Amino acid sequence: MAEFRVEEKGDDGYGRLGELCVPHGPVSTPALFPVINFIGGTTEKSGGIWRRIRDNLIDGSHLDGIMFQAMSFTDYGVSPANLNDFWRSQTFHERFDSLDAPVFIDSGGFKLMNSNTFGQAPVEGGAENEWGLYTNPKSILGLQIDFGSDIIATLDYPIPPKLNEEEKVERMERSIDSAVECLQIIEDPDTLSDGFPTNENAAERLKQQKSDGNEPGVYVALHGHDYETVNWYVGTFLERIEEANVEQSFEGFAIGSLVPLRSSIDVLIDIVQGATDAIPSSRADEIGLHVFGVGGKQVSLLALLGVDTFDCSTHVQTATYAKYTIPDTWETIHVNELEPYLEDGDFPCTLEHCTLCGSESDVDYQTLVDELNMDLSYDQRQERKSNGEPIKSDYYAALARHNFEVYNSELHRVRDRIREGTLLEYVIDFARNNPDIKKGLKQAQVRNKKLCRDLEKKEAYDLVAGPDLTSDQTKLSKWGGGVDESTETRSISLKYNPSSFNILTQRYEPPADKRVLLLVPCSQKKPYSESRTHSVLETKLEDKRDHIHKVTLSGMYGPVPEEKEREDPVLGYEYMLTSEDTEQIDLVTKRLQTYLETYEDHYDEVVAYVASAQYRGVIETALDESGVGASDEIVFPQNPKSFQLTEHFRNTNIQELIDYLD
């Protein structure tokens, strides 16, 4: 039976060592899965450079696992008959003798999103296609089972940049529905072939795997462009499987849409923290976290924040441009310009498993340069192959293997540092030599105050978050005016303090036509109105909005009326109220109490909607002390299952607020 479990945590409080038990496992985590194209054409021998890269990499006995994209066959001239009669007739492990590593198969959501061929299944009103393959959880799961997946990523509906809010929410909900359905199918394998004849063999295979207790592990694919969206996504999925009484286990979450964010590490960090923070602490050690398309130098920082597995294709991409990755510095140098980096004529690499630079390789620098710059005719290439001589593709494959080994060696260093309890020290050293990692480490402190304190204890004051912190912002709601996702960037200053904004010191009167006061907690995204937490209320309260005056409780400033949200101090601060900040809690509580007492006569009704423990405590105390209303009657949700952000989005909780206002 598939299972993920954390076995050891770093003595310094950072990173975790785990084990992912799957059919061709177990996999020790953290782990890095190279992206490999198993299918390069109509047979195993098709594919040119891609076949040779595949064969070179899967021959590595030290691989933790391999990542494959289920729909990648569409790039290599595979026909429907060839796919169904040949490629789906054997699993990859049955077909490739040298393959002994687990295979993680992604659903190919991005491919499907841009395809007119693989649309809705006929049972959903779609048209039949000659592949018998559709954008449907059952259809894609059958393909993954036939390929012999050890780990399955559920069918997802990616969120392209600038997608409007309504479609964004719709696609996230479809991805969640798809993940729930995937687990239900694995729970009952007989349903896999219902309505899908091409899944008959997959259904029998899955049934046998279930009988043997050897079914694949499942990672729930999720997407989101910020902390709040991903946090909602994780919490909503956990709620859905509970409501649906799904007993089939899943092993983790896999975060997608991250490749474009590798250069926006602050956004990447915020997204990862959104996922980890949404996983209940009681289940944190049994749910793994994978990030699609991210590896290399980001591994140490992401492992510090709780990521367990990674995959990357950069080793292949750089190799196809004839670029060589320099160990330790992460520079990628074209082989024609590599000579200054050689050490006594040898490659600057001593990695044990490198087939290009290792002691068992007979390729020297000049041979590599000559071969990659040589332009042989087709007949000359065929003659070389018939004589068993290497061709240009073999040298590209060796170069890709070298690049991967550089990435993989970093992963193993991180694993060793976790075991030694020195991961934080390692990231500190890394950040001081890498501006990108430094930026990400500072961003992580916005939500992780313990990390900030631990850096101060280690006297790493140069890495403690300061006034230079910035955060990308995108439009996610309807509360306020629009912003351009592609260009809008909010500048943050940590110089702001509680005296930078105080509504009580301004000449202020609430809007005359708004007689219902709605208190809600602040969000990291500014203006608050453009956060997902606020926009979900806007959508639900649309017909009542004209009468509601929204006042946000800021952890820094106390009450912030909605018409003041775009003032510079409100846009520019970055602060979260925590239980340790007792003086700040007292300050914002007193300010809110005074606001309520000052403007009590203006409002006909006061109500609050807050699921966060710290902010809820402030609002309840201020209401009780001011005498404006009984907090146990007007603070919603009245009996949340827990004090987490996920409760904010629960429909039944929002309905409580609506019913009260009605």
Side-chain angles (χ1 to χ4, degrees):
M1 181 176 177
E3 179 187 22
F4 172 80
R5 59 176 177 267
V6 174
E7 298 187 320
E8 181 182 345
K9 297 182 180 179
D11 289 341
D12 60 355
Y14 295 97
R16 57 192 204 172
L17 301 174
E19 185 172 80
L20 177 58
C21 296
V22 291
H24 289 89
V27 178
S28 295
T29 63
L32 174 65
F33 300 166
V35 174
I36 292 177
N37 285 334
F38 284 103
I39 301 176
T42 56
T43 73
E44 307 97 319
K45 296 181 180 180
S46 306
I49 180 175
W50 308 112
R51 173 174 74 84
R52 286 166 169 77
I53 289 174
R54 175 197 70 201
D55 293 346
N56 191 310
L57 274 166
I58 68 174
D59 195 40
S61 59
H62 66 299
L63 287 181
D64 294 315
I66 291 168
M67 176 63 69
F68 174 74
Q69 196 263 87
M71 298 298 296
S72 62
F73 66 84
T74 59
D75 294 328
Y76 298 100
V78 174
S79 68
N82 181 240
L83 174 70
N84 292 315
D85 298 340
F86 181 79
W87 283 111
R88 296 187 69 165
S89 65
Q90 285 183 295
T91 68
F92 293 144
H93 285 94
E94 292 168 343
R95 193 174 296 281
F96 300 103
D97 293 336
S98 58
L99 175 62
D100 61 3
V103 177
F104 190 156
I105 301 186
D106 183 21
S107 67
F110 272 103
K111 282 276 186 185
L112 293 166
M113 180 177 68
N114 298 310
S115 171
N116 293 323
T117 301
F118 307 102
Q120 289 185 334
V123 293
E124 299 173 336
E128 290 190 18
N129 64 53
E130 56 185 339
W131 301 83
L133 192 62
Y134 305 91
T135 305
N136 173 281
K138 190 178 295 184
S139 184
I140 298 302
L141 177 59
L143 185 66
Q144 292 168 315
I145 294 294
D146 277 343
F147 286 157
S149 180
D150 292 276
I151 309 165
I152 285 168
T154 58
L155 173 64
D156 54 335
Y157 296 83
I159 305 170
K162 300 184 180 181
L163 186 66
N164 68 63
E165 178 67 11
E166 182 179 351
E167 292 182 49
K168 196 178 297 183
V169 173
E170 178 189 351
R171 293 183 71 82
M172 289 190 291
E173 290 177 343
R174 290 184 70 186
S175 292
I176 292 170
D177 291 342
S178 172
V180 173
E181 184 177 344
C182 177
L183 293 176
Q184 291 171 328
I185 295 168
I186 295 176
E187 204 170 78
D188 184 7
D190 286 328
T191 63
L192 182 57
S193 58
D194 290 348
F196 292 89
T198 52
N199 280 356
E200 290 179 0
N201 291 335
E204 290 303 314
R205 185 185 298 276
L206 180 58
K207 190 184 301 183
Q208 186 62 52
Q209 288 177 314
K210 287 279 289 183
S211 176
D212 297 340
N214 206 29
E215 68 267 27
V218 177
Y219 272 65
V220 175
L222 60 92
H223 294 268
H225 296 161
D226 58 55
Y227 176 96
E228 291 173 342
T229 305
V230 170
N231 194 284
W232 169 86
Y233 199 125
V234 172
T236 301
F237 169 76
L238 294 174
E239 179 183 322
R240 283 288 314 282
I241 60 172
E242 181 180 339
E243 292 174 349
N245 295 317
V246 176
E247 296 182 4
Q248 176 65 38
S249 68
F250 74 100
E251 283 56 62
F253 290 100
I255 309 177
S257 303
L258 297 181
V259 173
L261 298 178
R262 287 183 299 196
S263 58
S264 301
I265 196 166
D266 50 345
V267 183
L268 171 60
I269 294 302
D270 211 41
I271 288 172
V272 168
Q273 288 179 310
T276 56
D277 288 354
I279 298 173
S281 57
S282 60
R283 301 193 63 184
D285 290 349
E286 62 187 49
I287 296 178
L289 188 63
H290 179 86
V291 288
F292 283 119
V294 179
K297 64 182 180 181
Q298 298 99 339
V299 162
S300 59
L301 177 57
L302 293 176
L304 185 90
L305 300 176
V307 176
D308 303 287
T309 50
F310 309 80
D311 70 75
C312 70
S313 59
T314 310
H315 57 289
V316 176
Q317 296 165 10
T318 50
T320 56
Y321 287 100
K323 290 188 175 183
Y324 179 103
T325 304
I326 306 295
D328 301 325
T329 69
W330 303 99
E331 293 177 274
T332 55
I333 308 298
H334 194 283
V335 294
N336 292 347
E337 301 168 357
L338 191 58
E339 192 164 1
Y341 296 84
L342 301 182
E343 299 174 359
D344 297 327
D346 296 328
F347 292 109
C349 167
T350 59
L351 298 172
E352 178 184 359
H353 300 287
C354 181
T355 58
L356 174 65
C357 313
S359 57
E360 297 182 4
S361 172
D362 57 1
V363 180
D364 58 26
Y365 170 65
Q366 195 57 51
T367 300
L368 179 67
V369 171
D370 291 344
E371 292 291 338
L372 293 184
N373 285 288
M374 191 178 297
D375 189 15
L376 298 178
S377 66
Y378 174 80
D379 290 339
Q380 289 173 314
R381 292 197 302 273
Q382 291 302 109
E383 182 180 356
R384 275 198 170 196
K385 285 196 287 186
S386 64
N387 293 333
E389 299 177 45
I391 61 174
K392 184 182 292 188
S393 294
D394 292 297
Y395 293 97
Y396 277 117
L399 185 56
R401 175 67 177 270
H402 159 80
N403 292 336
F404 169 72
E405 295 301 342
V406 173
Y407 282 73
N408 203 32
S409 65
E410 173 65 11
L411 186 284
H412 284 268
R413 277 194 294 273
V414 168
R415 194 184 291 173
D416 290 341
R417 289 299 190 133
I418 296 172
R419 189 173 292 110
E420 296 166 2
T422 59
L423 180 59
L424 181 57
E425 290 182 9
Y426 184 74
V427 173
I428 287 172
D429 290 341
F430 207 140
R432 283 174 171 157
N433 293 295
N434 190 296
D436 202 34
I437 302 303
K438 181 178 181 179
K439 180 181 181 182
L441 183 60
K442 288 189 173 186
Q443 179 65 33
Q445 296 168 58
V446 172
R447 296 191 180 276
N448 190 334
K449 299 298 170 52
K450 179 181 180 298
L451 175 59
C452 183
R453 292 193 296 270
D454 288 345
L455 289 169
E456 290 175 342
K457 288 177 184 177
K458 292 185 177 295
E459 299 183 352
Y461 300 113
D462 54 318
L463 301 177
V464 174
D468 59 337
L469 191 65
T470 61
S471 177
D472 292 336
Q473 297 293 302
T474 58
K475 180 182 179 182
L476 280 175
S477 75
K478 308 170 187 174
W479 277 104
V483 293
D484 184 346
E485 283 185 316
S486 64
T487 60
E488 199 275 338
T489 299
R490 179 170 66 95
S491 178
I492 296 168
S493 173
L494 298 185
K495 292 181 179 179
Y496 288 122
N497 58 54
S499 64
S500 300
F501 176 90
N502 183 357
I503 192 62
L504 302 173
T505 62
Q506 299 184 18
R507 297 182 62 182
Y508 173 76
E509 286 294 329
D513 58 337
K514 297 196 173 186
R515 311 294 291 185
V516 176
L517 170 61
L518 173 61
L519 298 172
V520 292
C522 62
S523 61
Q524 185 190 22
K525 188 172 292 297
K526 314 294 189 308
Y528 307 128
S529 298
E530 291 171 5
S531 71
R532 181 158 177 73
T533 50
H534 284 218
S535 67
V536 71
L537 293 179
E538 165 72 6
T539 301
K540 299 292 186 180
L541 299 174
E542 187 171 6
D543 61 336
K544 302 173 177 60
R545 187 67 180 98
D546 290 344
H547 308 291
I548 292 175
H549 184 217
K550 183 192 68 168
V551 173
T552 300
L553 176 65
S554 161
M556 175 73 80
Y557 303 128
V560 179
E562 58 185 304
E563 59 270 33
K564 298 290 184 177
E565 286 185 12
R566 293 179 181 272
E567 293 196 6
D568 288 344
V570 180
L571 288 173
Y573 83 97
E574 194 79 354
Y575 180 81
M576 286 186 63
L577 198 63
T578 62
S579 58
E580 296 89 358
D581 301 331
T582 54
E583 290 186 7
Q584 187 65 17
I585 289 174
D586 291 342
L587 183 146
V588 297
T589 302
K590 184 62 178 175
R591 286 189 181 181
L592 179 57
Q593 177 185 339
T594 303
Y595 181 92
L596 292 169
E597 293 170 346
T598 303
Y599 301 108
E600 177 181 3
D601 293 340
H602 174 83
Y603 299 107
D604 297 328
E605 192 69 57
V606 177
V607 66
Y609 188 81
V610 53
S612 165
Q614 281 72 43
Y615 291 83
R616 189 181 180 99
V618 168
I619 290 176
E620 288 178 338
T621 301
L623 286 169
D624 292 339
E625 292 296 323
S626 66
V628 168
S631 62
D632 60 343
E633 297 178 0
I634 60 175
V635 177
F636 297 92
Q638 292 190 336
N639 295 294
K641 292 184 177 181
S642 62
F643 290 114
Q644 288 187 319
L645 185 61
T646 51
E647 290 299 301
H648 180 97
F649 297 101
R650 192 186 293 273
N651 287 330
T652 53
N653 290 341
I654 298 175
Q655 191 60 46
E656 280 187 41
L657 173 64
I658 295 172
D659 291 344
Y660 180 83
L661 292 174
D662 285 340

